[in-house]
Amino acid sequence: MNTLLLASELTRRVVVTLGGEAVAQIRDTVFDARAGRITGFTLSGRGLLAGPLKESLPFSEVHAVGPSAVMILSETALEKRDMVVGADEAGHGQVIGASVLTDQGTAIGTVLDVVIEAGSSGRVIGFEIAANENLDHEQRRAFIPRGETLAVSGRALVVPAHARHFVADDLPSFSAQVEAFHTHAAEPYGGTSTGEGGQA
């Protein structure tokens, strides 16, 4: 699995062409909650006082999301802003702050951030949530994987009930929990959960 990143960490990350030219910086990450993928980025100019640009960056034009920059082939990858912002059901604000429910109807917290996979997939791997007492008695921040089919209804986001057994306390350890979650999901009938590594 590629390096995992928080969507919020991409804010103000520089957009660089493969020729080494810095053309913009990320203003906001826009993604399709139902598809579980980034649709693109809104952009601002370089520098502290730079305002928003009329252009946006569709994720289909991204060469790679790296630890220091978002790479594109050339400046021609930038398109009109509404090509990204106007995407149906897409938007950063529709996920952040949403209640998180299991598919058995238990509320386990609220979304603080979105965990994405670095590289070229734009895949949403899971979520950083403010856990409630149903997930963690200490109500700490936690990372929880998403299911392959992500349900979003109004202000609620639904994850598989067994995902609560694959929660991590920090991003570095979350990668192993996601791998274990997917291994569990691939077993016949979903396997049997041991609860190992979880906080349930």
Side-chain angles (χ1 to χ4, degrees):
M1 179 178 290
N2 289 320
T3 302
L4 301 185
L5 302 168
L6 292 174
S8 62
E9 292 176 350
L10 297 177
T11 302
R12 302 176 84 164
R13 187 162 295 188
V14 66
V15 179
V16 180
T17 69
L18 292 183
E21 181 184 4
V23 297
Q25 65 183 23
I26 301 300
R27 182 177 177 88
D28 201 4
T29 302
V30 182
F31 47 114
D32 184 331
R34 285 182 171 81
R37 292 186 180 276
I38 295 172
T39 59
F41 304 100
T42 61
L43 305 171
S44 61
R46 302 288 317 284
L48 293 175
L49 301 179
L53 297 181
K54 293 181 180 179
E55 295 85 8
S56 63
L57 176 59
F59 199 84
S60 59
E61 298 292 335
V62 171
H63 177 73
V65 177
S68 302
V70 173
M71 305 300 297
I72 59 176
L73 292 177
S74 70
E75 196 168 355
T76 60
L78 306 185
E79 297 186 8
K80 291 181 180 179
R81 195 169 187 271
D82 59 6
M83 294 293 289
V84 169
V85 177
D88 185 39
E89 298 297 338
H92 192 72
Q94 293 187 14
V95 176
I96 305 302
S99 298
V100 182
L101 304 173
T102 71
D103 54 12
Q104 294 179 349
T106 302
I108 58 174
T110 56
V111 178
L112 297 173
D113 212 332
V114 178
V115 182
I116 62 175
E117 187 175 43
S120 59
S121 73
R123 193 159 58 112
V124 173
I125 300 300
F127 304 93
E128 181 184 21
I129 69 172
N132 65 22
E133 65 279 358
N134 292 328
L135 182 66
D136 178 24
H137 293 300
E138 297 183 26
Q139 299 185 38
R140 296 170 292 189
R141 293 186 174 204
F143 294 88
I144 189 166
R146 77 171 187 91
E148 284 306 309
T149 55
L150 175 65
V152 179
S153 175
R155 295 293 294 166
L157 179 147
V158 181
V159 298
H162 67 273
R164 62 194 298 178
H165 298 293
F166 300 93
V167 169
D169 292 323
D170 53 49
L171 202 55
S173 62
F174 186 48
S175 185
Q177 289 294 76
V178 171
E179 292 287 354
F181 170 75
H182 288 299
T183 298
H184 170 89
E187 293 172 355
Y189 307 106
T192 55
S193 176
T194 62
E196 183 177 352
Q199 297 180 24

